[in-house]
Amino acid sequence: MEDTLYARMRPYLGDEKKLSERMAGRLDFWEECVMLFPKEEIIEKMDKALEDNDFSAFLVFVHRLKGNLANFGFERASEKAADVLLMIERKDTRQLRYRYESLREEYLQIIERIKEVK
């Protein structure tokens, strides 16, 4: 099996055909962009905002992450971020924290795979 970032990320990607179309078949460009994803620093910022009950800052960080994930084909993680955003809107902090943990765990797995390729 080819040991590329794309190959390593396949378990986290959604519709690969749509992703290829979105990237005009340029998976090399996709890899360059994914390598620029925020690493642990975004997790640290989200954790701190949540710890401080700063939901407006938390919303900004989650929304930014959701956009990155969605644009580059990480559909499941993007949906988890959307769920977190919905819980912020509903002011359901219990569900927000639960759903954030799921998003956090998946994103940490994604960035770990990115590091393996560097």
Side-chain angles (χ1 to χ4, degrees):
M1 180 168 123
E2 191 178 354
D3 192 27
T4 64
L5 179 59
Y6 183 77
R8 288 176 179 261
M9 290 300 182
R10 273 201 157 117
Y12 299 97
L13 295 174
D15 187 329
E16 293 182 46
K17 184 176 184 232
K18 283 193 329 192
L19 175 61
S20 182
E21 289 171 2
R22 185 178 312 126
M23 300 305 296
R26 294 279 320 269
L27 294 179
D28 59 322
F29 181 65
W30 175 88
E31 288 193 5
E32 287 179 37
C33 292
V34 169
M35 294 294 272
L36 298 174
F37 268 24
K39 306 298 184 275
E40 287 85 357
E41 68 270 6
I42 195 152
I43 295 288
E44 292 166 4
K45 288 176 181 179
M46 290 187 296
D47 287 351
K48 175 83 169 101
L50 196 53
E51 179 184 315
D52 294 345
N53 291 315
D54 185 350
F55 295 107
S56 60
F58 184 68
L59 182 139
V60 169
F61 297 131
V62 173
H63 191 269
R64 185 178 305 150
L65 181 60
K66 178 187 159 293
N68 281 337
L69 293 166
N71 286 332
F72 295 99
F74 298 94
E75 293 172 13
R76 185 178 62 223
S78 177
E79 289 170 5
K80 288 180 180 186
D83 284 345
V84 171
L85 294 172
L86 181 61
M87 294 306 108
I88 294 169
E89 182 182 315
R90 291 182 179 170
K91 296 181 172 52
D92 186 341
T93 56
R94 188 172 75 40
Q95 281 295 313
L96 179 151
R97 291 175 193 279
Y98 172 76
R99 293 178 189 207
Y100 171 62
E101 280 306 312
S102 179
L103 168 63
R104 185 181 191 280
E105 179 62 33
E106 184 154 348
Y107 191 66
L108 286 170
Q109 291 171 13
I110 289 169
I111 59 177
E112 190 59 38
R113 293 237 176 152
I114 293 170
K115 287 182 194 176
E116 290 173 0
V117 174
K118 286 188 172 182

